[in-house]
Amino acid sequence: MQTEVATARSAGLITRLKRRVRLSTLKYLAILHVSILNNLAYIMEVFFRALLLVVLVFVLTQLWTTTFTLHGSRVLKGFSIADMIWYLVAAEAIALSLPPLTRRIDQEVRSGQLAYLLGRPASYVLYNYAHYLGERLVRLLMNILIGSMLALVMAGVPHFTWQGLLAWPLVAFIALSIDFVLHFSIGLLAFWSEETQSFSLIASRLTLVLGGVLAPLEIFPQPLRSIAQALPFSAILYGPSRTLVHFEAARLGALLIQQCLTLLIGTFIMLTIYRVAVRRVNINGG
């Protein structure tokens, strides 16, 4: 009898847990949906922002064309000029899709609005993550559309493998999540700093230079190449872009391990900062 009661209680607990998870998932999916619709309402603004990618890729392409000409070779470190153009498009599409997350968190903290947002029946971190994903996905897709048209004109049809095309959405999604953790953590530093935009600027520049957005990391001289590949920035831009252009199963496995470790460690640091920050709000009577 007692065994049957314990089994029934366990089944009821599992059912309630599943229901809570399902409702919570639907709640954040609704936030994601609203964020996408809000950004689609201003699609022309997103379009004109994406035109910056055309300028950057065109300038970088001219630089690399000259470099290939001076080098006297059609292939440089395993990349042809066509591969380089598609790599630049993939990297710039991710880099230029970053929304002003740090600035928004910074303003909410400094204005005191955070104290009211914490009272919502939703996790502040997950709410911002869903909102961030909706905004970033719209920007990313627009960048991919415009960048692909430019690359088709300048480099022709790409020679992507089906494995690379299937793997890219996964590694790109993890890269966007790592970027969220990085910039959300920087935004929370507003609890201790008057202004966090300087930290955000440093992080974005490090990501651009050491993340491989200007060139694949194979081009870098040693030991800078090894240092850049070991840093988490390469998991955001270089890894996904190279997976798309030059797919290798062994490199994909190493990239996924690097991304997952970076995401786990970054999430732990972010949540630690968040808990300390929320405690400061409670102590100050916010």
Side-chain angles (χ1 to χ4, degrees), residues 125 185 188 266-276:
V125 176
S185 301
L188 290 176
T267 301
F268 174 78
I269 295 173
M270 178 192 68
L271 293 178
T272 301
I273 298 174
Y274 176 70
R275 291 192 187 98
V276 175

Side-chain angles (χ1 to χ4, degrees), residues 36-243:
I36 292 175
L37 292 179
N38 287 339
N39 283 274
L40 288 177
Y42 301 96
I43 192 63
M44 291 308 298
E45 178 185 355
V46 178
F47 171 77
F48 286 116
R49 285 178 179 271
L51 292 181
L52 177 60
L53 182 145
V54 176
V55 176
L56 292 176
V57 172
F58 179 79
V59 171
L60 291 174
T61 298
Q62 299 308 307
L63 291 175
W64 280 112
T65 301
T66 303
T67 301
F68 272 80
T69 302
L70 294 176
H71 191 264
S73 174
R74 294 185 177 182
V75 178
L76 185 62
K77 299 293 184 179
F79 286 82
S80 65
I81 187 61
D83 294 335
M84 189 69 72
I85 293 173
W86 281 103
Y87 172 89
L88 292 173
V89 167
E92 292 286 1
I94 297 176
L96 296 179
S97 65
L98 178 66
L101 173 66
T102 302
R103 186 180 307 146
R104 185 172 68 247
I105 304 300
D106 190 341
Q107 291 175 351
E108 290 175 353
V109 172
R110 289 191 290 131
S111 66
Q113 188 181 3
L114 176 65
Y116 298 98
L117 295 176
L118 291 175
R120 290 179 175 179
S123 166
Y124 181 71
V125 176
L126 294 179
Y127 168 83
N128 276 282
Y129 179 60
H131 187 277
Y132 157 89
L133 274 184
E135 189 172 2
R136 186 148 198 186
L137 287 176
V138 172
R139 293 186 177 204
L140 178 61
L141 291 176
M142 180 62 72
N143 288 345
I144 291 173
L145 177 62
I146 294 177
S148 297
M149 290 190 294
L150 175 64
L152 283 172
V153 173
M154 300 183 68
V157 178
H159 300 288
F160 297 157
T161 64
W162 65 267
Q163 297 98 324
L165 290 172
L166 288 179
W168 187 82
L170 173 61
V171 294
F173 175 75
I174 301 176
L176 300 186
S177 300
I178 295 173
D179 226 8
F180 168 80
V181 169
L182 172 62
H183 288 88
F184 187 84
S185 301
I186 293 175
L188 290 176
L189 294 180
F191 278 96
W192 296 272
S193 174
E194 290 289 334
E195 178 67 43
T196 63
Q197 292 309 302
S198 57
F199 300 115
S200 178
L201 181 63
I202 293 172
S204 61
R205 294 302 177 269
L206 287 174
T207 303
L208 291 177
V209 175
L210 299 178
V213 73
L214 302 177
L217 297 186
E218 285 89 346
I219 307 297
F220 288 22
Q222 291 290 8
L224 181 59
R225 182 197 311 170
S226 299
I227 295 174
Q229 289 176 337
L231 291 174
F233 306 112
S234 65
I236 300 175
L237 297 175
Y238 166 74
S241 303
R242 196 188 190 286
T243 297

